[in-house]
Amino acid sequence: MEIIYDIEMAKNITGITDDALIDFLVKGTISRIERIIGYELAKCEKTEFIQGVDTNVVYLNRKPVEHISKALWRNQEVSYRQEKHRLILIAPLCQSEFLEVTYTAGYETLPFDIEMFIFSSIKESIANESGLKSFSLKDVSYSYFDKVQQSENFRRGIIDLFGVRV
């Protein structure tokens, strides 16, 4: 499934008018985000095997969780309730045990904050194609981040946006 995003907003923010180029850059940035967070952003059904941590609260990896269809322990349905991307079990799950959870998670349409992050990242990456470190015009000066700094800022942005530890 392909994620829907606001292509007109992408054009306005990045300054790129070619639909195919925008689509290529947005998909590339989404793939980069997915590699960092460890899961796809597009909505799909997922089955996870989660090892116990001596607690009755289980956090699902993919977000946002729309629906949990089943939770099995030793091939038996277990009672639970869902709170956002958490599964609250009746009894704690021991460290040596695994819980099989099937759920639907992800995005059909990108939320505004993720769109803004993606479009801003694209704009930043194309802003200095000539490789300048800085420039100034009269009283205004501007310094560009090098590729390492851009990459680190991107990674920190992912951590802030998705709440993951990389």
Side-chain angles (χ1 to χ4, degrees):
M1 176 181 187
E2 209 165 294
I3 301 174
I4 300 168
Y5 63 92
D6 187 338
I7 193 162
E8 293 306 316
M9 186 189 324
K11 288 178 181 180
N12 288 333
I13 291 172
T14 62
I16 298 170
T17 56
D18 184 333
D19 288 7
L21 180 57
I22 277 286
D23 194 52
F24 174 78
L25 292 170
V26 168
K27 286 178 180 175
T29 305
I30 288 172
S31 292
R32 191 171 167 203
I33 290 169
E34 291 171 342
R35 276 193 312 277
I36 291 171
I37 63 176
Y39 60 87
E40 293 179 22
L41 295 178
K43 183 185 281 188
C44 69
E45 186 171 82
K46 171 86 174 156
T47 298
E48 264 183 62
F49 293 90
I50 302 164
Q51 189 167 9
V53 290
D54 289 331
T55 182
N56 66 328
V57 180
V58 176
Y59 291 89
L60 301 172
N61 287 329
R62 293 187 59 143
K63 297 168 189 95
V65 175
E66 181 180 286
H67 171 72
I68 299 172
S69 49
K70 69 178 174 179
L72 301 174
W73 175 68
R74 295 183 180 173
N75 292 326
Q76 300 290 319
E77 282 279 339
V78 295
S79 297
Y80 64 88
R81 75 177 194 277
Q82 177 184 344
E83 290 181 4
K84 295 187 179 183
H85 65 282
R86 295 185 309 172
L87 192 72
I88 315 288
L89 303 169
I90 300 302
L93 191 62
C94 295
Q95 286 183 342
S96 62
E97 299 171 328
F98 283 88
L99 182 68
E100 178 183 344
V101 182
T102 303
Y103 62 101
T104 304
Y107 300 102
E108 288 179 352
T109 302
L110 285 177
F112 180 77
D113 58 341
I114 296 175
E115 282 184 330
M116 292 305 293
F117 180 82
I118 290 169
F119 304 155
S120 298
S121 296
I122 291 169
K123 182 177 181 173
E124 184 179 315
S125 70
I126 63 172
N128 185 19
E129 292 177 340
S130 60
L132 295 174
K133 291 190 182 214
S134 65
F135 74 92
S136 61
L137 296 169
K138 295 188 180 184
D139 293 341
V140 177
S141 67
Y142 188 82
S143 295
Y144 291 105
F145 287 130
D146 63 23
K147 294 298 179 188
V148 172
Q149 288 170 314
Q150 281 182 1
S151 182
E152 180 59 24
N153 284 347
F154 185 83
R155 191 183 69 75
R156 272 191 254 127
I158 296 298
I159 290 168
D160 291 344
L161 195 58
F162 291 92
V164 295
R165 294 288 167 232
V166 192

